[in-house]
Amino acid sequence: MRIPTRIARGFVAAAVAATLVAAPVQGAPLPENFNFFSGIPSELTNPNGSLPGTNDYSCKPSASHPNPVILVHGTGGGGQTNWGAYAPLLKNNGYCVFSFTYGALPGAPWPVNQIGGTRPLAVSAGHLKSFVDRVLGATGARKVDLVGHSQGTIMPSYYMKVLGGAGKVGRHVSLAPLWRGTGADPGAAVSMFVRGLKLPDPFVPVFESIGDMLPGSRYLETVWSGGTPYVPGVEYTNISTRYDEAVLPYTSGQVEGPPGTTVNNIVVQDTCAQDFSDHMAIAGSRRAAYFVLNALDPQRPRPVPCYPVPPFTGA
């Protein structure tokens, strides 16, 4: 049966229209979801993959944002699960964004291989070194900026101080940092007891990284060599919350820098009493994220919103 020309043209027009509607708009902003747990669905639907907007090795940094941003997760986190709130935000703001899972149990199957931050921090710093070199080689950039959460704030210091990474980092932005470790006096007592027994590091099974983060650990002694955890030439921003239940006390992350080092210390409640972020929520709230944007691009600051931020999710 021959289809009349007029009807055939109608079918073609409809098909073209349907294709245009279904096709993604190139350059359209990625959907932003400010919730600490918003990266988990991506890991479940794309195991061992990358969050939308991250790990595009063809990305070339712009003149306004010359440093690629590497997201460094916390203990038990992963390249997707920790950063659902940050990957689309940074990509939408013109950054080349990269994320990876470090310090997972070697040889473990999925999903265990995406539970990161379990190895000694010096081992994980070697993973960071390899990843930074890969990002710099692909993008042609001279330096990266780091955005870390929890363990991902203190681990890079070993990379910069011991593994030669200081000259490859421009800005280090920390969410829930723990420069002095966590656990206060009880944590220090554990470190002293273990060292008195002359036990080698790591002395905690499975989550070997935990011992490194206690006050008085050998790892922290190395990071604090010279009297400061910072390195010259890197700009630091520390973003803490008074309601942090994992970094104890929260002031462990509020460390002034030596002369000549730029350090900006922020406690989110100082400018917004409605912010009830805890250790997880601070990596999921829009409010903390805008502090991060301003730290990465201080030449173009934007207002940081104040609104009720719940614990756990930050949403």
Side-chain angles (χ1 to χ4, degrees):
M1 181 180 68
R2 183 177 180 182
I3 300 175
T5 302
R6 181 178 60 188
I7 297 177
R9 288 175 178 170
F11 283 150
V12 172
V16 171
T19 301
L20 291 175
V21 170
V25 179
Q26 296 299 317
L30 295 170
E32 297 176 5
N33 185 356
F34 289 95
N35 185 314
F36 177 71
F37 301 102
S38 61
I40 294 177
S42 291
E43 184 60 48
L44 295 177
T45 57
N46 184 24
N48 299 317
S50 298
L51 287 165
T54 68
N55 298 342
D56 175 5
Y57 287 92
S58 67
C59 185
K60 296 304 178 184
S62 65
S64 56
H65 297 142
N67 294 352
V69 176
I70 295 180
L71 304 173
V72 190
H73 63 73
T75 307
Q80 295 198 86
T81 57
N82 210 130
W83 297 113
Y86 277 80
L89 174 71
L90 293 171
K91 187 65 176 179
N92 288 344
N93 279 272
Y95 291 92
C96 293
V97 189
F98 296 86
S99 182
F100 71 121
T101 299
Y102 68 85
L105 292 175
W110 186 88
V112 178
N113 68 344
Q114 292 304 314
I115 302 174
T118 67
R119 305 297 308 284
L121 269 62
V123 172
S124 293
H127 299 168
L128 176 61
K129 172 182 171 64
S130 297
F131 194 73
V132 169
D133 288 345
R134 181 184 179 189
V135 169
L136 292 178
T139 61
R142 292 180 55 252
K143 295 185 177 184
V144 300
D145 290 338
L146 303 177
V147 176
H149 175 225
S150 189
Q151 183 187 140
T153 69
I154 189 71
M155 178 273 283
S157 284
Y158 193 94
Y159 162 62
M160 288 187 272
K161 278 202 162 190
V162 180
L163 302 183
K168 298 179 182 180
V169 178
R171 294 186 172 96
H172 185 186
V173 185
S174 297
L175 294 159
L178 59 156
W179 297 113
R180 297 187 180 92
T182 182
D185 290 341
V190 171
S191 288
M192 185 179 299
F193 176 73
V194 169
R195 294 182 69 166
L197 295 177
K198 301 188 183 304
L199 295 178
D201 291 336
F203 59 86
V204 177
V206 185
F207 275 85
E208 300 170 314
S209 57
I210 291 177
D212 287 339
M213 294 183 284
L214 297 179
S217 71
R218 296 179 181 92
Y219 176 83
L220 286 178
E221 283 187 353
T222 300
V223 165
W224 276 80
S225 61
T228 175
Y230 305 132
V231 297
V234 177
E235 296 181 15
Y236 293 87
T237 300
N238 301 314
I239 305 170
S240 303
T241 172
R242 290 195 179 94
Y243 303 116
D244 199 319
E245 75 280 23
V247 177
L248 301 171
Y250 77 91
T251 51
S252 172
Q254 297 286 292
V255 175
E256 297 295 331
T261 302
T262 299
V263 179
N264 184 22
N265 287 313
I266 297 169
V267 178
V268 294
Q269 287 82 22
D270 284 352
T271 51
C272 184
Q274 301 176 71
D275 191 332
F276 293 97
S277 298
D278 67 343
H279 190 73
M280 293 187 296
I282 200 170
S285 82
R286 180 190 300 270
R287 176 171 158 72
Y290 273 66
F291 279 122
V292 172
L293 287 178
N294 288 343
L296 292 173
D297 191 1
Q299 302 303 317
R300 286 170 280 271
R302 61 195 69 196
V304 176
C306 176
Y307 59 91
V309 178
F312 305 117
T313 66

